[in-house]
Amino acid sequence: MLKNHIKIAWRNLVKNKKYTIINLAGLSIGMTCYLLISLFIQYEVSFDRHHEKADSIYRIAQRQIGNEYRGTDKFALAPLPLSEALQNDYPEVEAVTNLNQDFTLLVNGHESYPEQGLSTDSSFFEVFSVPLLQGDREAVFQDINTIVLTESLSKKIFGTVSPIGKSILYARNRNMTVAGVIPDPPKNQHLIYSYLVSYKIRGYYPQDVDNWVSNNYHAYLSLKEGSDYLALQEKMKSYDAIAKPAYEALGFKFFPNYLLQPLKDIHLHSNMNMEIGANGDIRYIYLFGAIALIILVLASINYINLATAKSAKRAKEVGVSKVLGAKRGSLILQFMAESFLLTIVSVAIAITIAIFVLPSFNTLLNQDIPFDFVGSWWILSLMVFVALLIGIFSGLYPAFFLSSLSPVKALKGNFTKNQKEGGFLRNTLVVGQFVVAIALGIGSIVIHQQLSYIQNKKLGYSKEQVVHVPYFQEEIGQRKELIRQQLLNHPKVKKVSISTQLPMNITSQGIVNEWEGNNGSQELYVYRCYIDRHFMDLFEMELVEGRAFSNEFPSDSVPSYILNEAAIKKMGWKTAVGKRFRDGSVIGVVKDFHLQTFDLTIEPLFITMPNTVQLDNFGQVILKIDPSEYSSTKSFIEKTLKDIVPLVNFEARFMEDSYAQLYDKETRLGRVFNVFTLLALFIAAMGLFGLVSFNVVQRTKEIGIRKVLGSSVIGIMNLVAKDFLKLVLIAIIIAVPIAFYIMNNWLQDYAYRTEIKWWVFILVGIGTMALSFVTICFQSFKAATVNPVKSLRTE
């Protein structure tokens, strides 16, 4: 019997191809969206949870009240002596490790490998679940000239031969012995590394041992089972008596309050300065989760609406079956089998689509989300459960209502006459669908406008046709004048400058309390950039007072400063040139330019010439070029620098591209919004199609009578369309204030932002009405052109 029900269900689905395709498309799209977003959420919340002690690992951080930097006064750093003090003073502390990011060039023979690692200590293996595949844990870092490689880096450098005991050059000049091999770190953790070295090789380590002010480390501790980290955090206030005098001795007017942050909260719930890597954002998890739920619910509603509309056409089928002796239970099973068959097929299609689409989805989000059937069992189980619920609810109406009809009423087919049960609910659902679609459409346009505003707003400097090459080798800084002359020999290179940072994202900040008119009681938090004499000319920066650095003034080599307008305003000066500032004097004032991302206001800044060290170890080689024949120019730039440092591979990149990278998250969010907006509009249009179909079925005889009495096709289409266009209009009225409120709040995260234009709402409203009109006309035109004789025979 079950086999027979499935066979008949399959025949009905094949017979009604239009409804089947629409239902499969809607459900499959909804379930695919749910599946992809659920995989994304599962991946994001899984960060750092693979460690055995994940529930008892905490990062030591601090809040420096009065020292706000880049929008927050929280810092993910700790002084080295704090770690030792915690382990000695509190028995609940099981282990403490210190680490920091490390970027270097590893050299083996004539091959070089630019790598990112961690400088840490042997306690790293006690806190984190990182096994040694090769080597002796007790011997790791006993000698500070040892290095631990990940498995993939070991194979890249040494092949399949064991690297233990072999030598490798660290930073091109320090001989290191390989003491261990560890697994590659999983991508769902915030610590990224391809090697480990001891932080004791750092030049600043001896000064950090007892220095409570030198926050050069990321510190993590594990607590013994049953320990309360909040209680320990309260106890850590006892270290204020040590830290506060140390800060005061250096003239600081703030001191740190130490915090403990759960390891599992770092990726999604952390917004601190000096994070060790880019984190996620819990707000996006909520947003994506809401979108997945909404699309799945809307797709489910559409299917139920279409199933309801289609069932009205099957009344005669039920009547004939009953006359031939079919029992009610058999009819119920038949309708339910058809419903379940379609939903299960939708699940299979959704899984197939998700597998093929996941690489593109990863590219869209810049993620590496895996699809593991075993690890994602709860996602798939929930999807199957939802599919079964959809099958039950969509099959309930035809199964129980139609099967309860008497054969006479079913064969007459007039049971739907004046039937309005559920009409309000269906209309409400269609309005809700369009509210979501319209709000997403408005959001997509506003996000695009803000990104365009960021890209096109005048920054206070010119970034067009500017190429930059970051470097971390002292040879570049020591030979900067020679390099500059060599680069200018190329006909496409117009200007060359070397500075510590690019003007688009200046991060270095310090405190100044020495300026003319200040008795030392006030402090100025000021960003700083060290440049050469060609920097301001290359970026075409505008001076509002004084002059730029120049070869014509040898005195510029002694401390001289150029301040921005924000600094002048903060100090209360009317004019600045010639006034005392820090250990020198001011020679110019540059017009305010955006020195950071648009979520931060323009802060005080000083620009000065470097001393002999500040451009030696790291910086940017910046060039203004003629972009024609860029490929050959790029090769020339990189080769010129490589001739100075042969083992290093340099990469020239357009500043426009680097600037856009600062807003990569927002750009990807905009693309995701565009995709989901189109899907939501498609699903909303399908919902409207289902409701129109249901309405046309109910009014078939009325339409036939109107045609007999002379009504035109246009008149009948208007009759059907006007009621549904009212629903869309209601949705627009509801969606506009909701979208304005949400997007206006989103824009508040930017210190500099676009305005939400009135025409955005008009554009989305007209577009939605047009799409709705086409959808309605498609079905109403078909009903209006049917032979009226056939329509009248429905009674």
Side-chain angles (χ1 to χ4, degrees):
M1 182 62 71
L2 178 61
K3 181 179 179 181
N4 185 59
H5 286 318
I6 294 175
K7 184 183 295 184
I8 295 174
W10 177 257
R11 288 174 179 171
N12 278 322
L13 293 176
V14 173
K15 180 181 178 181
N16 299 280
K17 293 183 178 66
K18 181 181 72 174
Y19 281 102
T20 301
I21 291 172
I22 292 175
N23 280 329
L24 280 175
L27 275 179
S28 298
I29 289 173
M31 290 183 182
T32 301
C33 291
Y34 155 80
L35 183 54
L36 291 173
I37 293 176
S38 296
L39 288 171
F40 165 72
I41 293 175
Q42 175 183 256
Y43 178 75
E44 287 289 290
V45 300
S46 70
F47 264 67
D48 297 307
R49 295 174 184 264
H50 57 278
H51 295 288
E52 293 178 9
K53 302 176 183 178
D55 292 326
S56 60
I57 298 176
Y58 303 88
R59 180 171 68 180
I60 304 173
Q62 58 182 285
R63 184 181 183 190
Q64 297 180 354
I65 300 175
N67 180 27
E68 186 167 306
Y69 172 72
R70 297 179 71 85
T72 180
D73 59 1
K74 292 183 178 180
F75 296 81
L77 296 172
L80 192 60
L82 177 61
S83 301
E84 184 177 357
L86 281 169
Q87 198 153 21
N88 292 335
D89 297 341
Y90 299 107
E92 61 265 41
V93 177
E94 190 174 55
V96 186
T97 186
N98 295 277
L99 54 87
N100 219 331
Q101 284 182 303
D102 191 76
F103 301 90
T104 195
L105 192 73
L106 301 177
V107 180
N108 182 39
H110 298 289
E111 299 292 331
S112 60
Y113 308 88
E115 298 291 337
Q116 175 182 347
L118 296 176
S119 57
T120 184
D121 51 39
S122 58
S123 296
F124 178 85
F125 299 101
E126 298 178 33
V127 175
F128 299 105
S129 302
V130 180
L132 272 176
L133 302 177
Q134 298 182 48
D136 181 6
R137 177 175 294 187
E138 301 299 325
V140 170
F141 301 145
Q142 281 188 355
D143 181 349
I144 65 171
N145 292 312
T146 55
I147 186 171
V148 176
L149 307 178
T150 59
E151 191 173 16
S152 60
L153 181 58
S154 173
K155 290 180 179 178
K156 183 162 63 172
I157 298 175
F158 298 104
T160 57
V161 178
S162 173
I164 302 300
K166 295 186 180 297
S167 295
I168 189 170
L169 282 180
Y170 173 89
R172 297 180 293 124
N173 57 17
R174 190 182 190 112
N175 195 49
M176 306 283 276
T177 302
V178 179
V181 177
I182 56 177
D184 293 343
K187 295 183 178 180
N188 58 337
Q189 71 171 29
H190 76 287
L191 298 178
I192 304 300
Y193 51 85
S194 61
Y195 65 86
L196 304 175
V197 293
S198 172
Y199 57 67
K200 293 182 181 180
I201 65 174
R202 298 281 165 238
Y204 51 73
Y205 166 72
Q207 290 76 36
D208 287 345
V209 174
D210 298 312
N211 189 350
W212 284 78
V213 181
S214 182
N215 297 299
N216 288 326
Y217 303 88
H218 297 269
Y220 298 79
L221 58 82
S222 60
L223 297 181
K224 293 179 181 177
E225 188 175 349
S227 300
D228 184 354
Y229 83 94
L230 292 176
L232 177 60
Q233 180 175 283
E234 188 68 21
K235 295 176 184 178
M236 290 170 65
K237 291 181 179 179
S238 63
Y239 297 120
D240 292 353
I242 304 174
K244 186 175 182 180
Y247 276 76
E248 290 175 342
L250 294 178
F252 293 110
K253 295 184 178 180
F254 60 85
F255 65 95
N257 294 320
Y258 297 114
L259 311 170
L260 291 179
Q261 182 181 29
L263 176 69
K264 294 191 294 186
D265 287 352
I266 292 176
H267 182 65
L268 293 177
H269 300 275
S270 184
N271 183 25
M272 297 186 180
N273 289 308
M274 313 306 176
E275 291 278 4
I276 202 165
N279 289 330
D281 192 328
I282 190 63
R283 294 176 300 174
Y284 293 140
I285 300 300
Y286 294 145
L287 174 64
F288 276 61
I291 289 175
L293 181 62
I294 288 170
I295 289 182
L296 185 59
V297 169
L298 296 187
S300 304
I301 291 169
N302 283 351
Y303 175 55
I304 294 171
N305 273 345
L306 285 168
T308 304
K310 177 173 170 288
S311 66
K313 295 182 177 181
R314 299 183 63 180
K316 289 185 179 180
E317 176 189 336
V318 172
V320 172
S321 298
K322 283 201 165 188
V323 169
L324 296 176
K327 301 297 183 183
R328 186 182 182 190
S330 177
L331 290 172
I332 290 174
L333 287 175
Q334 180 60 56
F335 281 110
M336 297 301 290
E338 186 174 325
S339 182
F340 281 128
L341 179 61
L342 195 143
T343 54
I344 294 301
V345 171
S346 297
V347 170
I349 292 174
I351 293 174
T352 304
I353 293 175
I355 292 173
F356 284 101
V357 172
L358 186 58
S360 299
F361 188 65
N362 278 329
T363 301
L364 183 66
L365 292 173
N366 193 27
Q367 297 284 3
D368 190 20
I369 304 168
F371 192 167
D372 178 14
F373 280 95
V374 176
S376 306
W377 65 269
W378 68 272
I379 297 176
L380 299 174
S381 299
L382 183 59
M383 187 167 72
V384 172
F385 175 72
V386 170
L388 293 177
L389 284 181
I390 295 171
I392 291 172
F393 285 116
S394 61
L396 281 178
Y397 178 83
F400 286 91
F401 180 75
L402 292 181
S403 64
S404 66
L405 294 175
S406 65
V408 175
K409 185 179 288 188
L411 290 171
K412 288 181 69 176
N414 66 345
F415 63 91
T416 60
K417 186 177 181 180
N418 296 323
Q419 186 185 25
K420 296 183 179 180
E421 300 89 58
F424 176 77
L425 177 61
R426 292 190 189 93
N427 292 343
T428 302
L429 293 175
V430 169
V431 169
Q433 288 175 328
F434 275 95
V435 166
V436 172
I438 293 166
L440 284 174
I442 293 171
S444 294
I445 295 177
V446 172
I447 291 172
H448 175 74
Q449 285 181 325
Q450 176 63 16
L451 292 175
S452 296
Y453 175 82
I454 291 170
Q455 293 292 337
N456 299 319
K457 186 180 184 300
K458 292 184 178 179
L459 300 174
Y461 60 88
S462 172
K463 64 180 187 297
E464 289 75 24
Q465 302 178 4
V466 174
V467 172
H468 69 102
V469 185
Y471 70 87
F472 301 93
Q473 296 77 30
E474 60 184 11
E475 294 96 325
I476 300 297
Q478 292 169 350
R479 304 182 186 181
K480 50 184 176 291
E481 287 303 324
L482 172 63
I483 291 172
R484 181 174 178 275
Q485 293 302 322
Q486 288 180 343
L487 290 173
L488 286 171
N489 288 332
H490 194 283
K492 299 295 182 181
V493 177
K494 301 176 181 179
K495 300 175 183 178
V496 178
S497 174
I498 299 179
S499 73
T500 54
Q501 299 178 86
L502 295 171
M504 66 181 183
N505 193 26
I506 296 175
T507 58
S508 178
Q509 187 192 51
I511 299 175
V512 175
N513 54 19
E514 298 177 14
W515 69 83
E516 192 168 315
N518 182 38
N519 57 9
S521 61
Q522 298 183 47
E523 291 183 342
L524 178 68
Y525 285 86
V526 58
Y527 288 88
R528 53 204 178 186
C529 184
Y530 298 91
I531 66 171
D532 63 12
R533 290 180 171 86
H534 314 284
F535 182 88
M536 297 183 66
D537 177 53
L538 187 149
F539 284 109
E540 301 174 15
M541 291 180 172
E542 182 181 345
L543 286 167
V544 296
E545 184 183 353
R547 62 176 179 83
F549 297 113
S550 171
N551 289 325
E552 297 178 3
F553 295 88
S555 60
D556 287 351
S557 60
V558 298
S560 300
Y561 297 91
I562 297 174
L563 307 180
N564 69 349
E565 293 174 298
I568 302 302
K569 183 178 180 180
K570 198 79 171 180
M571 292 186 294
W573 287 355
K574 299 297 182 182
T575 60
V577 173
K579 289 188 176 181
R580 179 175 54 84
F581 182 81
R582 293 186 83 203
D583 54 349
S585 60
V586 179
I587 65 169
V589 178
V590 64
K591 187 177 180 63
D592 277 343
F593 62 88
H594 289 276
L595 53 128
Q596 293 169 342
T597 53
F598 275 49
D599 55 339
L600 301 171
T601 58
I602 297 176
E603 297 289 341
L605 166 77
F606 75 69
I607 301 173
T608 187
M609 297 274 284
N611 58 33
T612 56
V613 177
Q614 283 158 329
L615 281 182
D616 284 355
N617 296 323
F618 68 92
Q620 299 277 348
V621 177
I622 310 167
L623 308 93
K624 189 89 167 184
I625 67 167
D626 179 348
S628 62
E629 302 178 14
Y630 174 64
S631 179
S632 61
T633 306
K634 181 175 183 292
S635 299
F636 171 79
I637 295 169
E638 293 171 348
K639 182 180 183 302
T640 300
L641 296 177
K642 192 174 177 64
D643 288 342
I644 303 296
V645 192
L647 290 171
V648 178
N649 293 319
F650 295 93
E651 181 185 0
R653 63 188 76 166
F654 273 108
M655 190 169 166
E656 292 268 15
D657 297 334
S658 298
Y659 180 78
Q661 189 66 28
L662 293 175
Y663 302 95
D664 182 65
K665 182 185 293 185
E666 287 81 1
T667 302
R668 293 180 187 279
L669 176 64
R671 293 171 184 166
V672 171
F673 252 86
N674 291 338
V675 171
F676 286 125
T677 297
L678 293 175
L679 292 175
L681 282 170
F682 175 74
I683 292 173
M686 288 178 59
L688 189 62
F689 180 88
L691 196 57
V692 172
S693 300
F694 184 79
N695 183 267
V696 168
V697 169
Q698 287 184 315
R699 304 176 71 173
T700 301
K701 184 181 177 183
E702 176 191 349
I703 292 172
I705 293 173
R706 287 180 180 273
K707 288 200 68 177
V708 169
L709 295 177
S711 179
S712 66
V713 172
I714 298 298
I716 294 174
M717 290 175 65
N718 287 335
L719 176 71
V720 176
K722 64 181 181 179
D723 292 334
F724 295 105
L725 290 178
K726 288 179 183 177
L727 298 179
V728 179
L729 183 61
I730 292 171
I732 293 172
I733 295 171
I734 295 173
V736 165
I738 294 174
F740 177 82
Y741 175 78
I742 294 173
M743 296 315 300
N744 188 56
N745 281 349
W746 179 74
L747 287 173
Q748 298 308 312
D749 290 338
Y750 293 91
Y752 304 92
R753 51 188 175 269
T754 186
E755 295 180 357
I756 302 179
K757 307 294 191 304
W758 61 268
W759 58 263
V760 172
F761 306 106
I762 301 297
L763 177 64
V764 176
I766 292 175
T768 306
M769 290 291 285
L771 175 64
S772 305
F773 184 74
V774 171
T775 303
I776 294 167
C777 287
F778 177 79
Q779 188 66 12
S780 59
F781 178 79
K782 180 180 177 182
T785 54
V786 170
N787 189 327
V789 176
K790 292 184 178 180
S791 300
L792 293 173
R793 285 177 179 172
T794 59
E795 182 64 57

